[in-house]
């Protein structure tokens, strides 16, 4: 065995409890394969699962597993994109289905990683917490026999009594917020417990984040609603246009509230290189909480949602809803409503369908249904600009109508989009030239249907609509708390140094007191020698050095000069 190995073994034996680890991290032990039996294998598996290596590996796997969820369309987020992906990738889609990549966050393999990480963190935290509580209830260990073997060490001789030196050292260390007490001929002190507390807080915060994320996914709800100015909404399932929720969500979990869209206002840049760019989108609403809550007026803006308990109401889209009136062959009004049209570009060129399902009769009194394709330009640019709006605001609105009559197919029981027209059983109207009837209308103008079939009027009132997303995530507050706690806990574990200091004062054979000071830190930090030198300087002022017995004129040693590791003073 080499001399270095011998010295290292001797150092460990002499340090004893004083050299024990200054953290709650479990010691790495050489593990061998367990003996035969279920209990042995279970114990071995539990030790592996609760080790820091496995916890970090599971955290890495969880991060890697979340990547497909952001790159591949997810069924829970947008089912239509998933279907488009299936149609475009005939070979990959079956493979993704088997791997659960279209629903990553609810897949078996992702849930397994999630649960194993959760169990691993709990298995790490529980023993460390008890160990930390035991350290708080205990006292710093006594000084080792050889203080000069510690990384930071200094010594000097003084004529002061050892008891007075120990009393002065005890008062000094407690003043510097060390936990200190006298053990035999030395003072033992320790500081920096917040490092381990921060470490535990960080791990507990990770568990809080996992629980908050899981509860948010299981109990969340996310729905959208398109509302024309003047429309009302109450937070109930039948009121939503589209709705998604977690597997444990119940309709009774919805926060009870209602609101009415009073007015929507959008402003745009009129000149310059950013002409047409949106400046403000604001939805003025009146809302009330509960069935008999007091109505309150507020404004919802982009990225400034309305918060009601666990629900948030976001403003996500907008467009125009021209008011259209349809009359039958006898001049009776069979339809009058604001029709929301969907934008196609940044200038809010919009299209949609008007469906008159009941009440319409032609000139001969025959019952029919009307389907009218509508194409809206908020700012008509004139000849050559018939297919796109020149500006998103209502500067020169034009509505293009293309009417059909016959059977819309709504009585077949098959679902169909309100923004699309099924022309399978529909016939077009012909103009005087025998072509498809189609015309541009300005506000207040009317299109007359041929053969006395009625008329369609574009009213002067053009309303606007707003699209809202109502999100309810119960774990949002806990997730924020866990994230903040994790940041502060990690900062404490990184920047706070846990260290121990010992001060020994013993009377020598010549009657002069020998004072030794030493420090030990958890890591190789420069703070321990610096702090020890500062403490030694203050204590040296209270117990000044005595002349060396061999040379009375020799200069007294400087306690600020702390030797390097293994050096003796």
């Amino acid at each position: 065995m080499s001399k270095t190995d011998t010295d290292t073994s001797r150092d460990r034996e002499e340090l004893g409890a004083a050299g024990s680890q200054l953290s709650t991290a479990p010691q790495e032990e050489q593990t061998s394969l367990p003996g035969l039996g279920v209990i042995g294998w279970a114990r071995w598996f539990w030790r592996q699962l609760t080790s820091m290596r496995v916890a970090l590996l599971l955290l890495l796997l969880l991060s890697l597993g979340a990547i497909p969820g952001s790159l591949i369309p997810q069924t829970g987020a947008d089912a239509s994109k998933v279907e488009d992906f299936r149609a475009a990738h005939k070979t990959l889609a079956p493979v993704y289905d088997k791997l659960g990549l279209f629903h990553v966050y609810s897949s078996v393999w992702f849930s397994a990683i999630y649960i194993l990480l959760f169990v691993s963190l709990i298995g790490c935290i529980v023993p460390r917490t008890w160990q930390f509580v035991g350290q708080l209830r205990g006292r710093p260990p006594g000084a080792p026999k050889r203080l000069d073997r510690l990384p930071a060490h200094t010594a000097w001789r003084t004529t002061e009594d050892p008891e007075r030196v120990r009393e002065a050292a005890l008062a000094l260390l407690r003043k510097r917020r060390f936990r200190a007490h006298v053990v035999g001929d030395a003072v033992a002190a320790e500081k920096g417990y917040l490092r381990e507390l921060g470490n535990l807080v960080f791990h507990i915060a990770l568990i809080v984040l996992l629980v908050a994320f899981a509860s948010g996914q299981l109990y969340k709800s996310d729905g959208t609603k398109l509302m024309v100015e003047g429309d009302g909404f109450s937070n109930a399932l039948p009121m939503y246009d589209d709705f998604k929720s977690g597997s444990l969500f119940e309709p009774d979990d919805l926060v009870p509230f209602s609101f009415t869209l009073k007015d929507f206002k959008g402003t745009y840049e009129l000149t310059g290189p950013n002409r047409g760019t949106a400046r403000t989108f604001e939805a003025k609403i009146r809302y009330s909480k509960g069935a008999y809550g007091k109505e309150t007026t507020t404004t919802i803006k982009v990225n400034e949602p309305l918060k009601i308990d666990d629900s948030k109401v976001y403003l996500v889209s907008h467009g125009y809803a021209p008011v259209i009136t349809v009359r039958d062959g006898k001049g009776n009004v069979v339809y009058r409503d604001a029709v929301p049209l969907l934008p196609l570009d940044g200038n809010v060129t919009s299209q949609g369908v008007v469906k008159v399902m009941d009440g319409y009769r032609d000139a001969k009194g025959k019952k029919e249904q009307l389907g009218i394709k509508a194409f809206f330009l908020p700012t008509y640019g004139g000849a050559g600009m018939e297919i796109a709006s020149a500006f998103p605001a209502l500067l020169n609105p034009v509505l293009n109508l293309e009417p059909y009559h016959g059977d819309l197919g709504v009585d077949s029981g098959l679902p169909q989009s309100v923004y699309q027209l099924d022309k399978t059983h529909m016939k077009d109207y012909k103009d005087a030239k025998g072509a498809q009837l189609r015309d541009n209308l300005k506000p207040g103008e009317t299109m007359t249907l041929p053969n006395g079939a009625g008329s369609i009027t574009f009213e002067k009132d053009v309303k606007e609509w707003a699209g809202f997303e109502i999100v309810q995530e119960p774990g949002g507050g806990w997730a924020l708390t866990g994230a903040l706690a994790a940041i502060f806990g990690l900062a404490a574990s990184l920047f706070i140094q846990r260290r121990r200091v010992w001060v020994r004062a013993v009377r020598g054979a010549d009657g002069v007191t020998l004072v030794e000071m030493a420090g030990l830190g958890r890591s190789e930090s420069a703070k321990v020698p610096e702090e020890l030198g500062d403490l030694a300087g203050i204590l040296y002022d209270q117990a000044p050095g005595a002349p060396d017995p061999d040379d009375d004129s020799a200069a007294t040693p400087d306690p600020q000069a702390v030797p390097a590791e293994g050096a003796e003073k």
Side-chain angles (χ1 to χ4, degrees):
M1 182 181 291
S2 66
K3 184 177 182 299
T4 303
D5 295 337
T6 304
D7 293 342
T8 303
S9 301
R10 187 184 301 114
D11 291 345
R12 291 177 179 174
E13 293 177 359
E14 291 181 352
L15 288 178
S20 62
Q21 60 177 355
L22 295 175
S23 73
T24 56
Q27 294 183 358
E28 295 291 338
E29 299 178 354
Q30 294 292 333
T31 58
S32 58
L33 291 177
L36 297 177
V38 177
I39 297 178
W41 280 107
R43 185 183 295 112
W44 178 84
F45 178 78
W46 176 254
R47 288 177 179 174
Q48 298 304 311
L49 180 61
T50 56
S51 66
M52 187 59 64
R53 293 188 302 271
V54 173
L56 292 175
L57 179 61
L58 290 173
L59 190 59
L60 176 62
L61 290 177
L62 191 70
S63 302
L64 294 176
I67 294 177
S70 59
L71 299 179
I72 300 174
Q74 299 295 292
T75 305
D78 195 335
S80 61
K81 286 187 177 181
V82 174
E83 295 303 322
D84 294 340
F85 188 92
R86 293 180 194 273
H89 303 83
K90 300 293 185 179
T91 304
L92 281 178
V95 177
Y96 285 3
D97 275 324
K98 292 181 179 180
L99 296 177
L101 297 183
F102 289 125
H103 49 91
V104 168
Y105 304 113
S106 59
S107 63
V108 175
W109 58 269
F110 190 87
S111 300
I113 298 174
Y114 195 91
I115 294 174
L116 286 175
L117 178 60
F118 188 81
V119 175
S120 178
L121 287 174
I122 293 178
C124 289
I125 290 173
V126 172
R128 291 176 68 135
T129 302
W130 285 116
Q131 184 178 346
F132 181 63
V133 172
Q135 291 178 1
L136 290 179
R137 296 178 62 183
R139 290 187 171 187
K145 295 180 181 179
R146 296 288 303 274
L147 289 178
D148 56 351
R149 287 186 176 275
L150 294 182
H153 170 262
T154 187
W156 72 92
R157 293 157 48 87
T158 181
T159 57
E160 295 289 339
D161 292 334
E163 292 78 7
R164 285 199 57 188
V165 175
R166 288 193 289 268
E167 290 176 1
L170 182 64
L172 172 62
L173 290 170
R174 287 179 174 175
K175 184 178 180 181
R176 292 297 184 92
R177 297 189 299 277
F178 279 84
R179 292 180 60 198
H181 69 119
V182 178
V183 184
D185 58 0
V187 177
E190 190 168 357
K191 188 178 182 180
Y193 288 91
L194 286 179
R195 177 189 181 94
E196 300 308 321
L197 180 61
N199 199 355
L200 292 174
V201 168
F202 173 74
H203 285 83
I204 294 173
L206 289 182
I207 293 181
V208 172
L209 282 172
L210 290 176
V211 173
F213 178 77
S215 63
Q217 293 297 313
L218 293 174
Y219 294 96
K220 74 173 182 179
S221 64
D222 188 348
T224 57
K225 178 63 177 179
L226 186 150
M227 299 176 61
V228 180
E229 291 173 327
D231 288 351
F233 171 83
S234 60
N235 196 23
L237 286 181
M239 298 294 295
Y240 284 93
D241 297 330
D242 181 47
F243 188 84
K244 302 184 294 290
S245 64
S247 57
L248 298 182
F249 171 82
E250 296 292 340
D252 293 339
D253 295 334
L254 289 174
V255 177
F257 67 89
S258 60
F259 67 91
T260 301
L261 177 61
K262 305 300 293 185
D263 181 55
F264 180 87
K265 182 180 180 181
T267 59
Y268 308 88
E269 293 288 347
L270 296 175
T271 58
N274 295 324
R275 184 178 184 273
T277 303
R279 297 178 60 185
T280 59
F281 288 148
E282 299 178 351
K284 183 178 180 181
I285 68 168
R286 288 185 62 85
Y287 74 95
S288 61
K289 181 180 176 181
Y292 306 101
K294 181 181 178 181
E295 285 195 341
T296 304
T297 300
T298 188
T299 300
I300 302 177
K301 301 179 182 179
V302 177
N303 296 327
E304 296 182 17
L306 169 66
K307 299 179 182 179
I308 305 176
D309 293 342
D310 288 336
S311 290
K312 294 182 180 180
V313 182
Y314 293 90
L315 176 62
V316 295
S317 58
H318 88 289
Y320 295 103
V323 179
I324 297 176
T325 301
V326 179
R327 293 177 172 83
D328 62 10
K330 297 182 178 181
N332 299 321
V333 175
V334 295
Y335 180 92
R336 179 183 175 87
D337 201 357
V339 182
L341 305 179
L342 299 182
L344 300 176
D345 55 28
N347 285 332
V348 202
T349 305
S350 309
Q351 71 173 3
V353 175
V354 181
K355 296 183 179 181
V356 182
M357 294 176 285
D358 298 306
Y360 173 78
R361 294 178 183 271
D362 62 10
K364 299 179 180 180
K366 180 183 177 181
K367 295 180 63 175
E368 279 189 315
Q369 294 177 335
L370 296 183
I372 308 167
K373 296 180 66 175
F375 194 77
F376 182 70
L377 282 67
T379 301
Y380 177 64
M385 294 289 292
E386 294 90 349
I387 60 174
S389 175
F391 195 78
L394 290 172
L395 301 182
N396 184 26
V398 167
L399 179 65
N400 181 277
L401 299 178
E402 184 179 321
Y404 295 85
H405 64 100
D407 184 8
L408 292 171
V410 295
D411 298 329
S412 63
L414 299 176
Q416 59 177 246
S417 173
V418 296
Y419 300 104
Q420 295 180 349
L421 179 63
D422 181 5
K423 297 187 291 184
T424 305
H425 304 288
M426 302 292 289
K427 298 179 181 180
D428 55 1
Y429 286 100
K430 302 295 184 179
D431 59 11
K433 298 180 181 180
Q436 164 68 47
L437 179 62
R438 186 171 182 174
D439 198 6
N440 289 336
L441 302 180
K442 291 187 176 182
E445 295 183 345
T446 299
M447 170 190 285
T448 302
L449 299 178
N451 302 321
S455 64
I456 306 171
T457 302
F458 174 25
E459 304 291 347
K460 294 183 179 181
D461 185 16
V462 179
K463 295 185 177 182
E464 296 189 58
W465 59 261
F468 296 95
E469 182 178 10
I470 297 92
V471 179
Q472 187 168 320
E473 293 180 341
W478 284 104
L480 177 60
T481 302
L484 293 176
I487 293 174
F488 286 110
L490 183 61
S493 65
L494 290 177
F495 297 109
I496 297 177
Q497 296 295 327
R498 188 173 176 185
R499 60 271 191 199
R500 289 171 181 163
V501 173
W502 294 274
V503 181
R504 174 177 284 146
V506 294
R507 192 182 299 278
D510 56 355
V512 180
T513 300
L514 174 64
V515 181
E516 287 185 286
M517 295 185 68
L520 179 65
R522 174 184 174 184
S523 59
E524 297 295 332
S525 172
K527 187 175 183 179
V528 175
E530 293 175 358
E531 188 173 33
L532 185 66
D534 183 38
L535 293 171
I538 298 174
L539 186 60
Y540 185 83
D541 293 337
Q542 301 179 33
D548 189 85
D550 297 331
D551 185 6
D552 292 342
S553 62
T556 58
D558 183 6
Q560 298 282 358
V562 182
E565 181 175 0
E568 295 186 14
K569 192 168 181 69

